[in-house]
Amino acid sequence: MYRNFLINESHALRHRLIELQPFALSTPMVSAASISSAAIKQINSILKAQGYNLRHRIDDFINTMKDPKRLDSFEAQSRFALLKLHFNNILDQLDIFSDVMTQRSEYNTGVLIAGLDILAQDALTIPVPLYDVPPVVCFPERGHGAAIRKARTRLPGGISNPVAVIQVPRERLVGSGIAASIIHEVGHQGSTELKLKESIGHQIEQVMQHSMDATHKEAWDYYRRCLSEILSDFWAMTHLGICATTGLMAVMSLPEIFLFRVNKEDPHPFPWFRVMLSIAFGTYLYPNKQWNDLKKLWYSLYDTAKIPAEYKAFTEALLQLAPSFVALVCTHESEALKGHRLQDIFHCADRSPDQLRTLFDAWKQTPQLMFKAAPSLVFAVIGQAKWDKRIGIQEECIILTRLLKDWALQRAESK
């Protein structure tokens, strides 16, 4: 009796598997809203391979069940249960990429998201080619912040994810601040490719061995614990300049009770200090009085007297050590960097405030030049102009919306 039951259930499972449609047949969208050819090829490849493998496993199981001498009821049920788990893993994988694909059928939004794909891909493709750049795809989601499912990490079922999938907050579409969120998430992928958390973490541990002050040692350890998030903020700074900090401030604008709450087990620096550290990176990479102005603005928004008493000395130590920590990160060298200082593998030399202002002047005279520039550079220039009050919010949104659509259309036409 159990054999007929499990054979029928296996046939039903196989039929449901065959009914799963590739995205090309199931997701209507205009061509400009589509993901890159490299991304869709790799996504389809793993889903097809997973489906092919499971169909063969089901067929083998059915054939085995027809032999009354091969499996008893307990072993047969155990093997069938594993087939169901494999099928559900495939569905989980499909759902991950469905989030990316289905929302692109939304009028207007889909094309904007495709443009953000191109921004993210640009930010991951650094000038010094130190790693193989995986495809990047974005999708909008409710919520306050962004997130990433990194390429080359494990999907449900244990297979390697072929693309980086970035969740972007829908409420931030569209303005220059969205670039800070996206490139922060890109920074997680890039830092992993370069093994920066490990190599810089080791360098911090060496510093801690020579630190005699207990509070300073505690502060260095906090920097080490928060490296993953700090390096992602640094990645955004190298591409966006002041736009990285103003975008971060928009995300970190929370009630005071959250701004000063220190959780040393949280990989994120506590919000008020996180913005201060972003300013410290900006001051080091792009010396300019604007960073002091930004610091004064941040201090004016929150009363630092409300920092909990037990964390005042700790916070002061973090601020005191910030210049040393920032210099350590920016000048870091490792085997993965192949003889380069970390700051030198990015476009920092081309993204100082004065250079961004010069580009904005040139683009006002010849707007076509903006469409030929790297997407992250465009956001940096627009973000700087907004800080300088040379462009208003409405004009910023109009320009960036037009550019995102144009980048998406160019990619669609090049396929």
Side-chain angles (χ1 to χ4, degrees):
M1 180 183 297
Y2 75 87
R3 294 184 184 280
N4 288 335
F5 173 76
L6 291 179
I7 287 173
N8 286 337
E9 288 297 305
S10 299
H11 279 298
L13 185 64
R14 192 182 194 285
H15 179 75
R16 294 196 297 274
L17 179 63
I18 292 172
E19 286 299 304
L20 296 180
Q21 297 292 321
F23 288 117
L25 297 177
S26 62
T27 51
M29 67 184 75
V30 296
S31 59
S34 180
I35 65 177
S36 69
S37 298
I40 193 63
K41 182 179 179 180
Q42 295 199 40
I43 291 170
N44 284 340
S45 177
I46 65 161
L47 293 176
K48 183 177 180 180
Q50 290 284 292
Y52 181 81
N53 176 265
L54 181 55
R55 283 197 300 274
H56 276 271
R57 288 181 60 189
I58 293 172
D59 290 342
D60 288 344
F61 177 72
I62 292 172
N63 290 332
T64 301
M65 289 299 297
K66 292 177 180 178
D67 184 347
K69 299 178 181 179
R70 295 287 295 278
L71 298 175
D72 62 28
S73 61
F74 300 120
E75 186 178 359
Q77 174 63 19
S78 177
R79 287 184 57 175
F80 176 71
L82 290 175
L83 293 177
K84 284 186 63 179
L85 287 176
H86 190 168
F87 182 56
N88 279 290
N89 285 334
I90 292 175
L91 293 179
D92 288 342
Q93 295 163 17
L94 190 69
D95 286 343
I96 289 169
F97 299 118
S98 291
D99 287 338
V100 173
M101 302 296 287
T102 56
Q103 296 186 33
R104 291 170 187 251
S105 62
E106 292 183 14
Y107 176 71
N108 198 41
T109 301
V111 180
L112 294 178
I113 295 299
L116 293 177
D117 289 350
I118 296 164
L119 167 66
Q121 198 75 53
D122 173 55
L124 189 55
T125 309
I126 57 178
V128 181
L130 297 174
Y131 54 82
D132 294 329
V133 181
V136 187
V137 295
C138 300
F139 73 97
E141 186 63 280
R142 291 178 302 170
H144 191 62
I148 185 171
R149 181 182 287 271
K150 291 184 289 188
R152 296 188 265 273
T153 55
R154 296 298 175 188
L155 290 171
I159 67 169
S160 178
N161 182 17
V163 302
V165 182
I166 296 178
Q167 171 188 312
V168 299
R170 187 182 285 270
E171 58 94 8
R172 306 194 75 194
L173 295 175
V174 167
S176 58
I178 191 66
S181 293
I182 288 177
I183 301 181
H184 170 90
E185 300 306 328
V186 165
H188 282 294
Q189 182 74 53
S191 297
T192 298
E193 300 291 341
L194 295 171
K195 300 179 174 60
L196 294 179
K197 182 179 178 182
E198 294 79 6
S199 59
I200 296 178
H202 178 67
Q203 192 173 350
I204 290 175
E205 289 171 358
Q206 291 179 320
V207 172
M208 289 172 62
Q209 291 175 3
H210 298 91
S211 177
M212 301 299 292
D213 185 279
T215 305
H216 280 193
K217 185 172 289 190
E218 184 183 24
W220 277 112
D221 189 54
Y222 187 74
Y223 279 124
R224 182 182 61 82
R225 288 173 178 268
C226 297
L227 260 181
S228 178
E229 297 299 327
I230 291 171
L231 289 171
S232 294
D233 286 343
F234 164 77
W235 202 282
M237 178 60 68
T238 63
H239 286 80
L240 297 172
I242 200 167
C243 183
T245 308
T246 55
L248 180 62
M249 287 171 66
V251 176
M252 296 294 103
S253 291
L254 303 166
E256 285 178 345
I257 190 172
F258 299 110
L259 257 289
F260 299 127
R261 180 181 292 171
V262 179
N263 178 359
K264 294 183 181 178
E265 301 304 316
D266 188 342
H268 299 80
F270 68 95
W272 181 82
F273 174 69
R274 186 173 171 184
V275 171
M276 292 296 292
L277 190 57
S278 178
I279 293 172
F281 273 114
T283 302
Y284 183 92
L285 292 171
Y286 316 109
N288 190 280
K289 77 177 192 66
Q290 70 178 11
W291 302 105
N292 283 330
D293 296 336
L294 191 57
K295 186 186 296 186
K296 290 177 183 177
L297 171 61
W298 190 237
Y299 268 97
S300 73
L301 297 176
Y302 294 98
D303 182 4
T304 55
K306 295 183 179 180
I307 295 175
E310 64 268 32
Y311 292 119
K312 284 189 180 294
F314 176 67
T315 302
E316 290 172 2
L318 287 173
L319 292 172
Q320 183 181 348
L321 293 175
S324 298
F325 170 74
V326 165
L328 181 149
V329 171
C330 292
T331 61
H332 176 68
E333 297 180 11
S334 68
E335 183 178 348
L337 295 174
K338 298 180 180 178
H340 299 279
R341 297 185 308 169
L342 182 55
Q343 70 185 63
D344 295 334
I345 70 170
F346 300 103
H347 294 285
C348 300
D350 303 324
R351 304 203 177 181
S352 69
D354 288 341
Q355 288 166 312
L356 297 179
R357 290 163 182 150
T358 298
L359 279 175
F360 183 73
D361 290 336
W363 292 353
K364 286 193 72 173
Q365 296 296 320
T366 312
Q368 296 86 343
L369 295 175
M370 189 186 311
F371 290 84
K372 298 177 181 179
S376 60
L377 177 60
V378 170
F379 274 85
V381 170
I382 297 299
Q384 182 68 54
K386 185 171 72 170
W387 170 255
D388 293 336
K389 298 182 176 61
R390 302 182 66 193
I391 187 173
I393 299 298
Q394 184 175 2
E395 186 180 0
E396 174 200 49
C397 292
I398 291 172
I399 291 173
L400 292 178
T401 298
R402 182 181 174 188
L403 283 162
L404 289 169
K405 290 181 177 179
D406 187 75
W407 295 332
L409 181 60
Q410 286 183 41
R411 182 173 71 180
E413 291 176 343
S414 67
K415 290 182 180 178

